[in-house]
Amino acid sequence: MKRLTTPVSDEQINELNVGDQVSISGTIYTGRDAALPQLVELVKKGEVPFDMNGMAIMHTAFSDAGIAPTTSSKVEIESTIPFLSEKGVKIHIGKGMLSDETAKSLDENNSIFVITPPVAALLTSKVLEKKCVLFENEGMEAMFELKVKDIPGIVAIHRGEKI
């Protein structure tokens, strides 16, 4: 198990391989269908209230039931991955298979895709704090900043290689 704490550096990403089991701690952000396209627009305007360099974004909503990854290959989500990687996001956490084009963009930006088990009770137990940071009007699909300890995952895409 390789332990990562955000923000992560390029050097830490370079030490990883497809298939590596990872444990992610620190600050991560949540976003899915409603929030991620809006985040891209804010980034383009220079209006994001947090630093994305070295950060992780988990493709999930946050409800009273907790968190669990949504399918990352949804157009509204996958289409944001190349841009957000270019702007500093190093770890995209979700589930499902991504396109070869997205894998290539992750490689070009030294970012990775990590799959995590869709087990809400397990993942929610790893959340220490939560705070809504953007798009509160989207309800559970708003963007949250989470302080987490030991979110488990497997590196599924890195250096253009897929699991």
Side-chain angles (χ1 to χ4, degrees):
M1 177 80 63
K2 297 189 178 183
R3 299 194 177 279
L4 301 172
T5 300
T6 61
V8 297
S9 66
D10 279 326
E11 293 76 23
Q12 290 170 295
I13 296 294
N14 289 336
E15 293 173 6
L16 299 171
N17 295 299
V18 167
D20 282 350
Q21 292 182 28
V22 295
S23 172
I24 302 167
S25 297
T27 300
I28 68 170
Y29 294 91
T30 66
R32 54 175 283 166
D33 314 42
L36 291 177
Q38 292 181 74
L39 176 63
V40 166
E41 292 307 311
L42 285 183
V43 172
K44 288 178 180 178
K45 295 176 187 176
E47 297 177 359
V48 177
F50 50 86
D51 186 1
M52 292 193 311
N53 288 312
M55 279 297 122
I57 291 182
M58 183 177 204
H59 305 148
T60 188
F62 201 109
S63 72
D64 291 337
I67 60 171
T70 193
T71 303
S72 300
S73 61
K74 295 179 194 174
V75 171
E76 299 84 359
I77 295 173
E78 186 168 0
S79 66
T80 69
I81 292 172
F83 181 81
L84 295 174
S85 295
E86 182 181 320
K87 298 302 179 185
V89 175
K90 289 294 174 190
I91 305 170
H92 300 268
I93 307 166
K95 69 177 186 177
M97 185 176 8
L98 300 178
S99 71
D100 291 341
E101 294 80 23
T102 300
K104 182 179 178 192
S105 74
L106 287 167
D107 181 37
E108 290 169 354
N109 295 293
N110 198 33
S111 296
I112 60 174
F113 178 58
V114 171
I115 54 174
T116 192
V119 182
L122 169 67
L123 297 174
T124 304
S125 74
K126 306 296 184 178
V127 176
L128 307 174
E129 297 176 30
K130 73 171 182 171
K131 173 175 77 172
C132 183
V133 291
L134 288 171
F135 321 123
E136 187 173 2
N137 61 314
E138 297 293 352
M140 68 182 216
E141 285 205 28
M143 190 162 222
F144 286 85
E145 178 183 275
L146 307 180
K147 302 293 184 198
V148 299
K149 182 164 175 50
D150 298 327
I151 294 282
I154 298 171
V155 177
I157 301 177
H158 188 26
R159 295 186 196 99
E161 182 184 346
K162 296 180 182 182
I163 200 165

